[in-house]
Amino acid sequence: MSSELPSGYVFVDTLEQIDIDAVHVFLTASYWALGRTRVQVERSLQRSVCVAVNHNGALAAFARSVTDGIAVAHINDVFVLPAHRRRGLSRMLVQHLIARPELADVKKVTLNTRDAHGVYTALGFTAPVHPQTAMELRRP
Ligand SMILES: CC(C)(COP(=O)(O)OP(=O)(O)OC[C@H]1O[C@@H](n2cnc3c(N)ncnc32)[C@H](O)[C@@H]1OP(=O)(O)O)[C@@H](O)C(=O)NCCC(=O)NCCS
C-alpha cells in the first residue's frame, strides 16, 4: 500500500510540530473523549508516541499510541479533520505510526473503533483473536 501523502501534506512526529490546541478542540467534542480538558489532552500526548499530518503548517490529522516498545501498543485518538477526509490520510497516518521505531517491533497492537473498521482492516488489523481472554477496568 502506498504511504505517499497527497501534495501539500507532511507527516510530523514531534510535539513541537503538532497543534495541541487543535487536537484538543477536536477531541473534546468527539464521542470517545467528550469533555477532555486541554490539560488532560496535553498530558496524554506527552506520554504517548504522537504522529500527525499537517497541511500548510496546520493540523489535518492526528493519532497517538501508548506502548512498552516490546509486547504491546494501544492506538488512541485517531482522527482526520473534516476538510481533509476521504483522501486516505487516516490509513497512511496509522501505517506511519505503527512503523515508528517505538512501535515497529511490538508484538500486539490494539485499538478500539465504533465504526471505522474499514480504515484498519487493510493494514492487517482483525477482530481480537481471543476476545474471551481480554479484560478491562472501567472508571467513571
Ligand atoms: C474515520 C476517519 C479517521 C477516516 O479518515 P479518512 O482519512 O477520511 O479515511 P481514509 O480516506 O483513510 O479512508 C480509508 C478507508 O476507510 C474507509 N472509511 C473512512 N471513514 C470511515 C468510517 N467512518 N467508517 C468506515 N469506513 C471508513 C474509507 O472508505 C476507506 O476505505 P476504502 O479505501 O476501502 O474506500 C475520519 O472520518 C474521522 O476522523 N472520523 C471522526 C473520528 C473517528 O471516528 N475516528 C476513528 C476512531 S477509531
Side-chain angles (χ1 to χ4, degrees):
M1 179 184 305
S2 165
S3 58
E4 183 134 343
L5 288 168
S7 173
Y9 292 91
V10 292
F11 290 119
V12 291
D13 291 354
T14 67
L15 277 192
E16 292 69 34
Q17 298 168 293
I18 295 175
D19 182 347
I20 300 176
D21 289 327
V23 174
H24 169 243
V25 166
F26 183 88
L27 286 180
T28 197
S30 69
Y31 74 82
W32 69 89
L34 195 62
R36 194 176 292 173
T37 68
R38 172 69 169 70
V39 168
Q40 290 171 328
V41 167
E42 181 161 1
R43 192 181 309 154
S44 67
L45 268 53
Q46 285 168 343
R47 295 174 180 178
S48 303
V49 178
C50 298
V51 292
V53 175
N54 281 356
H55 182 254
N56 295 333
L59 186 82
F62 175 82
R64 68 182 179 92
S65 176
V66 285
T67 183
D68 60 11
I70 304 292
V72 290
H74 189 75
I75 294 176
N76 295 80
D77 296 344
V78 178
F79 67 86
V80 176
L81 292 178
H84 304 282
R85 287 181 189 164
R86 314 311 279 187
R87 291 174 170 84
L89 293 187
S90 68
R91 253 189 211 149
M92 286 185 254
L93 185 61
V94 172
Q95 192 174 31
H96 181 73
L97 177 59
I98 61 180
R100 281 276 306 251
E102 300 92 330
L103 276 79
D105 297 322
V106 168
K107 292 292 176 206
K108 184 165 80 169
V109 182
T110 58
L111 60 84
N112 299 99
T113 184
R114 187 171 69 181
D115 58 10
H117 302 76
V119 171
Y120 305 104
T121 49
L123 297 174
F125 286 82
T126 66
V129 177
H130 302 296
Q132 68 282 8
T133 67
M135 296 188 73
E136 62 186 24
L137 173 66
R138 296 226 173 203
R139 292 178 169 142

